[in-house]
Amino acid sequence: MSDNPEVRGLADLATDLAGTHRAADAGDRGVDPAVVESDLRTLTRDGHVILPDLLGAAELERIRGEALALLGPPGRNSFEGHRTQRLYSTLTKTRVTDRLVDHPRVLALLDRLLLPGYLLSQLQVINILPGENAQLLHPDDGFYPVPRPRRALSAATIWAIDHFTEDNGATVVVPGSHRWGDGRVPTDADPRCPSVMPAGSCVLFLGTLWHGGGANDSGSARLAVTAQYCEPWLRTQEAFTLSTPRDVARAVSPEIRRMLGYGIYPPFIGMVDGMHPERLLEGPPALP
Ligand SMILES: O=C(O)CCC(=O)C(=O)O
């Protein structure tokens, strides 16, 4: 807790009481502010933005090799995709996607979109196999019962590990649909846009944007990694604090650790037994 614990009114609680584990101001994470501004302008206007060519060939090969080996059988329903393989809880199974989760270009945008202390809500590998149908269009934060139109409560990245093409399942977005109110759903009159981009790029979109995996009418699979992030006061889709062993929480970067729940949304949301959750990782492992 802070050096000055006097609380005279609710306004005093608005400051961070996280003491030694207080989050530092991240600036633009080393990214040129003009680039962040430009990404943000596109994102605000269209609801989505493509961040091109962020990963090199060697890294893509490493991700592809490890991810494909970890994937299992296809999905259990048409939303997961009967011809789509998904790997959940990816951080507990491999380190190769870490750099995607805390990529500076992504975090610089999230820092401007979401409140400090935002969380990782979902991390999946998604491999859309040939013959898969288009996924039902949906907004990712539609399951939070907060009326629209409104600010997005979450944002998602979908990283192209293979090239995303017109016909291999590139994520389809409905530009401008992030501004729609409750009750409006996409019709044939609404333009849809496949996120065509070279491998190593990612599309970042707001949680309010209608989108879905595309149909794969090509002869080869479309491999992707998706990381989703949400406001720090919301429940995450995957309960990472339950699913991530403590040795994994110690192994990831401080940013990812914070996004897994080892952080505080000021003044004390996310605390454990009255203390900052990072303290769980200090000292020798606790006895069972
Ligand atoms: O794989 C994609 O391109 C999109 C997947 C998606 O939106 C989802 O599964 O919720």
Side-chain angles (χ1 to χ4, degrees), residues 126-153:
I126 304 181
N127 196 32
I128 300 186
L129 301 171
E132 180 60 283
N133 298 316
Q135 189 187 32
L136 183 75
L137 294 172
H138 58 281
D140 281 336
D141 72 8
F143 44 75
Y144 295 122
V146 183
R148 294 176 58 132
R150 57 163 164 73
R151 282 181 47 237
L153 303 173

PDB file of all heavy atoms in Angstrom, residues 126-153:
ATOM      1  N   ILE A 126      -5.649 -20.328 -33.954  1.00  0.00           N
ATOM      2  CA  ILE A 126      -6.815 -20.728 -34.757  1.00  0.00           C
ATOM      3  C   ILE A 126      -6.327 -21.148 -36.140  1.00  0.00           C
ATOM      4  O   ILE A 126      -5.710 -20.341 -36.854  1.00  0.00           O
ATOM      5  CB  ILE A 126      -7.837 -19.572 -34.905  1.00  0.00           C
ATOM      6  CG1 ILE A 126      -8.278 -19.055 -33.534  1.00  0.00           C
ATOM      7  CG2 ILE A 126      -9.046 -20.032 -35.715  1.00  0.00           C
ATOM      8  CD1 ILE A 126      -9.314 -17.930 -33.583  1.00  0.00           C
ATOM      9  N   ASN A 127      -6.594 -22.390 -36.488  1.00  0.00           N
ATOM     10  CA  ASN A 127      -6.174 -22.902 -37.794  1.00  0.00           C
ATOM     11  C   ASN A 127      -7.423 -23.276 -38.585  1.00  0.00           C
ATOM     12  O   ASN A 127      -8.098 -24.264 -38.276  1.00  0.00           O
ATOM     13  CB  ASN A 127      -5.281 -24.140 -37.584  1.00  0.00           C
ATOM     14  CG  ASN A 127      -4.498 -24.509 -38.818  1.00  0.00           C
ATOM     15  OD1 ASN A 127      -4.120 -23.630 -39.605  1.00  0.00           O
ATOM     16  ND2 ASN A 127      -4.234 -25.790 -39.001  1.00  0.00           N
ATOM     17  N   ILE A 128      -7.767 -22.448 -39.574  1.00  0.00           N
ATOM     18  CA  ILE A 128      -8.964 -22.693 -40.381  1.00  0.00           C
ATOM     19  C   ILE A 128      -8.578 -23.598 -41.556  1.00  0.00           C
ATOM     20  O   ILE A 128      -7.744 -23.233 -42.394  1.00  0.00           O
ATOM     21  CB  ILE A 128      -9.585 -21.373 -40.888  1.00  0.00           C
ATOM     22  CG1 ILE A 128      -9.980 -20.489 -39.690  1.00  0.00           C
ATOM     23  CG2 ILE A 128     -10.798 -21.652 -41.766  1.00  0.00           C
ATOM     24  CD1 ILE A 128     -10.737 -19.225 -40.059  1.00  0.00           C
ATOM     25  N   LEU A 129      -9.184 -24.777 -41.578  1.00  0.00           N
ATOM     26  CA  LEU A 129      -8.804 -25.790 -42.567  1.00  0.00           C
ATOM     27  C   LEU A 129      -9.602 -25.596 -43.863  1.00  0.00           C
ATOM     28  O   LEU A 129     -10.678 -24.970 -43.853  1.00  0.00           O
ATOM     29  CB  LEU A 129      -9.065 -27.188 -41.986  1.00  0.00           C
ATOM     30  CG  LEU A 129      -8.301 -27.484 -40.681  1.00  0.00           C
ATOM     31  CD1 LEU A 129      -8.775 -28.801 -40.055  1.00  0.00           C
ATOM     32  CD2 LEU A 129      -6.800 -27.536 -40.941  1.00  0.00           C
ATOM     33  N   PRO A 130      -9.092 -26.134 -44.977  1.00  0.00           N
ATOM     34  CA  PRO A 130      -9.821 -26.033 -46.241  1.00  0.00           C
ATOM     35  C   PRO A 130     -11.236 -26.583 -46.097  1.00  0.00           C
ATOM     36  O   PRO A 130     -11.459 -27.600 -45.432  1.00  0.00           O
ATOM     37  CB  PRO A 130      -9.003 -26.905 -47.201  1.00  0.00           C
ATOM     38  CG  PRO A 130      -7.629 -26.908 -46.627  1.00  0.00           C
ATOM     39  CD  PRO A 130      -7.794 -26.835 -45.135  1.00  0.00           C
ATOM     40  N   GLY A 131     -12.205 -25.907 -46.706  1.00  0.00           N
ATOM     41  CA  GLY A 131     -13.598 -26.369 -46.665  1.00  0.00           C
ATOM     42  C   GLY A 131     -14.408 -25.757 -45.533  1.00  0.00           C
ATOM     43  O   GLY A 131     -15.629 -25.955 -45.475  1.00  0.00           O
ATOM     44  N   GLU A 132     -13.764 -25.008 -44.634  1.00  0.00           N
ATOM     45  CA  GLU A 132     -14.512 -24.386 -43.522  1.00  0.00           C
ATOM     46  C   GLU A 132     -15.462 -23.311 -44.053  1.00  0.00           C
ATOM     47  O   GLU A 132     -15.129 -22.582 -44.991  1.00  0.00           O
ATOM     48  CB  GLU A 132     -13.525 -23.780 -42.511  1.00  0.00           C
ATOM     49  CG  GLU A 132     -14.176 -23.098 -41.297  1.00  0.00           C
ATOM     50  CD  GLU A 132     -15.029 -24.050 -40.473  1.00  0.00           C
ATOM     51  OE1 GLU A 132     -16.162 -24.368 -40.903  1.00  0.00           O
ATOM     52  OE2 GLU A 132     -14.539 -24.475 -39.401  1.00  0.00           O
ATOM     53  N   ASN A 133     -16.650 -23.231 -43.435  1.00  0.00           N
ATOM     54  CA  ASN A 133     -17.614 -22.174 -43.787  1.00  0.00           C
ATOM     55  C   ASN A 133     -17.258 -20.880 -43.053  1.00  0.00           C
ATOM     56  O   ASN A 133     -16.530 -20.904 -42.052  1.00  0.00           O
ATOM     57  CB  ASN A 133     -19.026 -22.605 -43.359  1.00  0.00           C
ATOM     58  CG  ASN A 133     -19.456 -23.870 -44.086  1.00  0.00           C
ATOM     59  OD1 ASN A 133     -19.250 -23.993 -45.281  1.00  0.00           O
ATOM     60  ND2 ASN A 133     -20.032 -24.808 -43.341  1.00  0.00           N
ATOM     61  N   ALA A 134     -17.865 -19.791 -43.519  1.00  0.00           N
ATOM     62  CA  ALA A 134     -17.671 -18.510 -42.824  1.00  0.00           C
ATOM     63  C   ALA A 134     -18.277 -18.609 -41.422  1.00  0.00           C
ATOM     64  O   ALA A 134     -19.353 -19.199 -41.236  1.00  0.00           O
ATOM     65  CB  ALA A 134     -18.331 -17.382 -43.607  1.00  0.00           C
ATOM     66  N   GLN A 135     -17.588 -18.063 -40.442  1.00  0.00           N
ATOM     67  CA  GLN A 135     -18.088 -18.058 -39.055  1.00  0.00           C
ATOM     68  C   GLN A 135     -19.210 -17.023 -38.919  1.00  0.00           C
ATOM     69  O   GLN A 135     -19.225 -16.018 -39.647  1.00  0.00           O
ATOM     70  CB  GLN A 135     -16.933 -17.688 -38.117  1.00  0.00           C
ATOM     71  CG  GLN A 135     -17.240 -17.846 -36.649  1.00  0.00           C
ATOM     72  CD  GLN A 135     -16.115 -17.292 -35.760  1.00  0.00           C
ATOM     73  OE1 GLN A 135     -15.441 -16.329 -36.130  1.00  0.00           O
ATOM     74  NE2 GLN A 135     -15.929 -17.903 -34.605  1.00  0.00           N
ATOM     75  N   LEU A 136     -20.126 -17.289 -37.991  1.00  0.00           N
ATOM     76  CA  LEU A 136     -21.170 -16.308 -37.675  1.00  0.00           C
ATOM     77  C   LEU A 136     -20.509 -14.980 -37.292  1.00  0.00           C
ATOM     78  O   LEU A 136     -19.610 -14.960 -36.443  1.00  0.00           O
ATOM     79  CB  LEU A 136     -21.973 -16.846 -36.481  1.00  0.00           C
ATOM     80  CG  LEU A 136     -23.158 -16.019 -36.024  1.00  0.00           C
ATOM     81  CD1 LEU A 136     -24.320 -16.186 -37.015  1.00  0.00           C
ATOM     82  CD2 LEU A 136     -23.594 -16.461 -34.629  1.00  0.00           C
ATOM     83  N   LEU A 137     -20.968 -13.896 -37.925  1.00  0.00           N
ATOM     84  CA  LEU A 137     -20.409 -12.582 -37.559  1.00  0.00           C
ATOM     85  C   LEU A 137     -20.859 -12.218 -36.146  1.00  0.00           C
ATOM     86  O   LEU A 137     -21.983 -12.536 -35.744  1.00  0.00           O
ATOM     87  CB  LEU A 137     -20.874 -11.517 -38.555  1.00  0.00           C
ATOM     88  CG  LEU A 137     -20.354 -11.673 -39.992  1.00  0.00           C
ATOM     89  CD1 LEU A 137     -21.038 -10.666 -40.923  1.00  0.00           C
ATOM     90  CD2 LEU A 137     -18.837 -11.512 -40.055  1.00  0.00           C
ATOM     91  N   HIS A 138     -19.972 -11.558 -35.410  1.00  0.00           N
ATOM     92  CA  HIS A 138     -20.267 -11.223 -34.004  1.00  0.00           C
ATOM     93  C   HIS A 138     -19.341 -10.097 -33.550  1.00  0.00           C
ATOM     94  O   HIS A 138     -18.251  -9.936 -34.091  1.00  0.00           O
ATOM     95  CB  HIS A 138     -20.024 -12.459 -33.115  1.00  0.00           C
ATOM     96  CG  HIS A 138     -18.616 -12.979 -33.228  1.00  0.00           C
ATOM     97  ND1 HIS A 138     -18.185 -13.761 -34.280  1.00  0.00           N
ATOM     98  CD2 HIS A 138     -17.522 -12.798 -32.442  1.00  0.00           C
ATOM     99  CE1 HIS A 138     -16.903 -14.045 -34.138  1.00  0.00           C
ATOM    100  NE2 HIS A 138     -16.464 -13.472 -33.033  1.00  0.00           N
ATOM    101  N   PRO A 139     -19.749  -9.321 -32.537  1.00  0.00           N
ATOM    102  CA  PRO A 139     -18.817  -8.401 -31.877  1.00  0.00           C
ATOM    103  C   PRO A 139     -18.281  -9.106 -30.623  1.00  0.00           C
ATOM    104  O   PRO A 139     -19.036  -9.756 -29.906  1.00  0.00           O
ATOM    105  CB  PRO A 139     -19.704  -7.215 -31.487  1.00  0.00           C
ATOM    106  CG  PRO A 139     -21.088  -7.770 -31.401  1.00  0.00           C
ATOM    107  CD  PRO A 139     -21.151  -9.106 -32.099  1.00  0.00           C
ATOM    108  N   ASP A 140     -16.977  -8.979 -30.364  1.00  0.00           N
ATOM    109  CA  ASP A 140     -16.393  -9.755 -29.250  1.00  0.00           C
ATOM    110  C   ASP A 140     -16.896  -9.325 -27.880  1.00  0.00           C
ATOM    111  O   ASP A 140     -16.961 -10.136 -26.957  1.00  0.00           O
ATOM    112  CB  ASP A 140     -14.869  -9.645 -29.274  1.00  0.00           C
ATOM    113  CG  ASP A 140     -14.250 -10.564 -30.314  1.00  0.00           C
ATOM    114  OD1 ASP A 140     -14.894 -11.567 -30.682  1.00  0.00           O
ATOM    115  OD2 ASP A 140     -13.123 -10.281 -30.747  1.00  0.00           O
ATOM    116  N   ASP A 141     -17.223  -8.044 -27.705  1.00  0.00           N
ATOM    117  CA  ASP A 141     -17.639  -7.647 -26.357  1.00  0.00           C
ATOM    118  C   ASP A 141     -19.170  -7.609 -26.219  1.00  0.00           C
ATOM    119  O   ASP A 141     -19.699  -7.024 -25.270  1.00  0.00           O
ATOM    120  CB  ASP A 141     -16.947  -6.362 -25.890  1.00  0.00           C
ATOM    121  CG  ASP A 141     -17.437  -5.098 -26.584  1.00  0.00           C
ATOM    122  OD1 ASP A 141     -18.424  -5.167 -27.337  1.00  0.00           O
ATOM    123  OD2 ASP A 141     -16.829  -4.039 -26.344  1.00  0.00           O
ATOM    124  N   GLY A 142     -19.867  -8.278 -27.144  1.00  0.00           N
ATOM    125  CA  GLY A 142     -21.333  -8.316 -27.103  1.00  0.00           C
ATOM    126  C   GLY A 142     -21.881  -9.097 -25.916  1.00  0.00           C
ATOM    127  O   GLY A 142     -23.052  -8.940 -25.552  1.00  0.00           O
ATOM    128  N   PHE A 143     -21.033  -9.931 -25.320  1.00  0.00           N
ATOM    129  CA  PHE A 143     -21.526 -10.728 -24.179  1.00  0.00           C
ATOM    130  C   PHE A 143     -21.464  -9.950 -22.870  1.00  0.00           C
ATOM    131  O   PHE A 143     -21.892 -10.454 -21.831  1.00  0.00           O
ATOM    132  CB  PHE A 143     -20.795 -12.072 -24.064  1.00  0.00           C
ATOM    133  CG  PHE A 143     -19.306 -11.960 -24.257  1.00  0.00           C
ATOM    134  CD1 PHE A 143     -18.499 -11.445 -23.262  1.00  0.00           C
ATOM    135  CD2 PHE A 143     -18.717 -12.361 -25.453  1.00  0.00           C
ATOM    136  CE1 PHE A 143     -17.144 -11.314 -23.438  1.00  0.00           C
ATOM    137  CE2 PHE A 143     -17.346 -12.231 -25.643  1.00  0.00           C
ATOM    138  CZ  PHE A 143     -16.556 -11.710 -24.637  1.00  0.00           C
ATOM    139  N   TYR A 144     -20.914  -8.737 -22.889  1.00  0.00           N
ATOM    140  CA  TYR A 144     -21.005  -7.874 -21.703  1.00  0.00           C
ATOM    141  C   TYR A 144     -22.303  -7.080 -21.819  1.00  0.00           C
ATOM    142  O   TYR A 144     -22.493  -6.350 -22.800  1.00  0.00           O
ATOM    143  CB  TYR A 144     -19.813  -6.921 -21.620  1.00  0.00           C
ATOM    144  CG  TYR A 144     -18.478  -7.620 -21.424  1.00  0.00           C
ATOM    145  CD1 TYR A 144     -17.434  -7.463 -22.320  1.00  0.00           C
ATOM    146  CD2 TYR A 144     -18.272  -8.454 -20.325  1.00  0.00           C
ATOM    147  CE1 TYR A 144     -16.209  -8.105 -22.132  1.00  0.00           C
ATOM    148  CE2 TYR A 144     -17.054  -9.098 -20.130  1.00  0.00           C
ATOM    149  CZ  TYR A 144     -16.029  -8.921 -21.043  1.00  0.00           C
ATOM    150  OH  TYR A 144     -14.832  -9.559 -20.852  1.00  0.00           O
ATOM    151  N   PRO A 145     -23.215  -7.197 -20.860  1.00  0.00           N
ATOM    152  CA  PRO A 145     -24.544  -6.594 -21.021  1.00  0.00           C
ATOM    153  C   PRO A 145     -24.556  -5.085 -20.751  1.00  0.00           C
ATOM    154  O   PRO A 145     -25.168  -4.616 -19.798  1.00  0.00           O
ATOM    155  CB  PRO A 145     -25.392  -7.363 -19.999  1.00  0.00           C
ATOM    156  CG  PRO A 145     -24.430  -7.805 -18.957  1.00  0.00           C
ATOM    157  CD  PRO A 145     -23.089  -7.967 -19.607  1.00  0.00           C
ATOM    158  N   VAL A 146     -23.865  -4.358 -21.597  1.00  0.00           N
ATOM    159  CA  VAL A 146     -23.792  -2.899 -21.483  1.00  0.00           C
ATOM    160  C   VAL A 146     -24.339  -2.342 -22.806  1.00  0.00           C
ATOM    161  O   VAL A 146     -23.810  -2.688 -23.877  1.00  0.00           O
ATOM    162  CB  VAL A 146     -22.341  -2.425 -21.259  1.00  0.00           C
ATOM    163  CG1 VAL A 146     -22.294  -0.916 -21.075  1.00  0.00           C
ATOM    164  CG2 VAL A 146     -21.720  -3.132 -20.056  1.00  0.00           C
ATOM    165  N   PRO A 147     -25.406  -1.518 -22.747  1.00  0.00           N
ATOM    166  CA  PRO A 147     -26.060  -1.087 -23.978  1.00  0.00           C
ATOM    167  C   PRO A 147     -25.130  -0.385 -24.971  1.00  0.00           C
ATOM    168  O   PRO A 147     -24.198   0.302 -24.569  1.00  0.00           O
ATOM    169  CB  PRO A 147     -27.148  -0.112 -23.483  1.00  0.00           C
ATOM    170  CG  PRO A 147     -27.330  -0.425 -22.040  1.00  0.00           C
ATOM    171  CD  PRO A 147     -26.031  -0.966 -21.538  1.00  0.00           C
ATOM    172  N   ARG A 148     -25.376  -0.612 -26.262  1.00  0.00           N
ATOM    173  CA  ARG A 148     -24.689   0.055 -27.370  1.00  0.00           C
ATOM    174  C   ARG A 148     -25.602   1.130 -27.926  1.00  0.00           C
ATOM    175  O   ARG A 148     -26.807   1.009 -27.766  1.00  0.00           O
ATOM    176  CB  ARG A 148     -24.397  -0.974 -28.465  1.00  0.00           C
ATOM    177  CG  ARG A 148     -23.407  -2.043 -28.080  1.00  0.00           C
ATOM    178  CD  ARG A 148     -23.295  -3.050 -29.205  1.00  0.00           C
ATOM    179  NE  ARG A 148     -22.893  -2.409 -30.461  1.00  0.00           N
ATOM    180  CZ  ARG A 148     -21.922  -2.849 -31.261  1.00  0.00           C
ATOM    181  NH1 ARG A 148     -21.241  -3.906 -30.932  1.00  0.00           N
ATOM    182  NH2 ARG A 148     -21.662  -2.235 -32.392  1.00  0.00           N
ATOM    183  N   PRO A 149     -25.094   2.149 -28.640  1.00  0.00           N
ATOM    184  CA  PRO A 149     -23.678   2.356 -28.943  1.00  0.00           C
ATOM    185  C   PRO A 149     -22.906   2.818 -27.717  1.00  0.00           C
ATOM    186  O   PRO A 149     -23.456   3.502 -26.860  1.00  0.00           O
ATOM    187  CB  PRO A 149     -23.703   3.451 -30.017  1.00  0.00           C
ATOM    188  CG  PRO A 149     -24.987   4.173 -29.796  1.00  0.00           C
ATOM    189  CD  PRO A 149     -25.953   3.177 -29.247  1.00  0.00           C
ATOM    190  N   ARG A 150     -21.660   2.464 -27.684  1.00  0.00           N
ATOM    191  CA  ARG A 150     -20.790   2.804 -26.547  1.00  0.00           C
ATOM    192  C   ARG A 150     -19.346   2.584 -26.959  1.00  0.00           C
ATOM    193  O   ARG A 150     -19.068   2.017 -28.021  1.00  0.00           O
ATOM    194  CB  ARG A 150     -21.121   1.911 -25.350  1.00  0.00           C
ATOM    195  CG  ARG A 150     -21.005   0.440 -25.650  1.00  0.00           C
ATOM    196  CD  ARG A 150     -20.916  -0.393 -24.400  1.00  0.00           C
ATOM    197  NE  ARG A 150     -21.178  -1.804 -24.637  1.00  0.00           N
ATOM    198  CZ  ARG A 150     -20.361  -2.639 -25.243  1.00  0.00           C
ATOM    199  NH1 ARG A 150     -19.203  -2.203 -25.712  1.00  0.00           N
ATOM    200  NH2 ARG A 150     -20.682  -3.907 -25.415  1.00  0.00           N
ATOM    201  N   ARG A 151     -18.440   3.005 -26.082  1.00  0.00           N
ATOM    202  CA  ARG A 151     -17.014   2.703 -26.265  1.00  0.00           C
ATOM    203  C   ARG A 151     -16.807   1.199 -26.251  1.00  0.00           C
ATOM    204  O   ARG A 151     -17.544   0.477 -25.568  1.00  0.00           O
ATOM    205  CB  ARG A 151     -16.217   3.242 -25.080  1.00  0.00           C
ATOM    206  CG  ARG A 151     -15.938   4.701 -25.043  1.00  0.00           C
ATOM    207  CD  ARG A 151     -15.098   5.030 -23.795  1.00  0.00           C
ATOM    208  NE  ARG A 151     -13.978   4.122 -23.609  1.00  0.00           N
ATOM    209  CZ  ARG A 151     -13.778   3.381 -22.505  1.00  0.00           C
ATOM    210  NH1 ARG A 151     -14.627   3.418 -21.494  1.00  0.00           N
ATOM    211  NH2 ARG A 151     -12.719   2.600 -22.405  1.00  0.00           N
ATOM    212  N   ALA A 152     -15.793   0.754 -26.931  1.00  0.00           N
ATOM    213  CA  ALA A 152     -15.457  -0.671 -26.863  1.00  0.00           C
ATOM    214  C   ALA A 152     -14.917  -1.003 -25.476  1.00  0.00           C
ATOM    215  O   ALA A 152     -14.189  -0.212 -24.880  1.00  0.00           O
ATOM    216  CB  ALA A 152     -14.412  -1.005 -27.915  1.00  0.00           C
ATOM    217  N   LEU A 153     -15.305  -2.170 -24.981  1.00  0.00           N
ATOM    218  CA  LEU A 153     -14.820  -2.627 -23.676  1.00  0.00           C
ATOM    219  C   LEU A 153     -13.634  -3.578 -23.839  1.00  0.00           C
ATOM    220  O   LEU A 153     -13.048  -4.023 -22.853  1.00  0.00           O
ATOM    221  CB  LEU A 153     -15.944  -3.340 -22.925  1.00  0.00           C
ATOM    222  CG  LEU A 153     -17.208  -2.494 -22.707  1.00  0.00           C
ATOM    223  CD1 LEU A 153     -18.322  -3.330 -22.107  1.00  0.00           C
ATOM    224  CD2 LEU A 153     -16.882  -1.300 -21.813  1.00  0.00           C
TER     225      LEU A 153
END
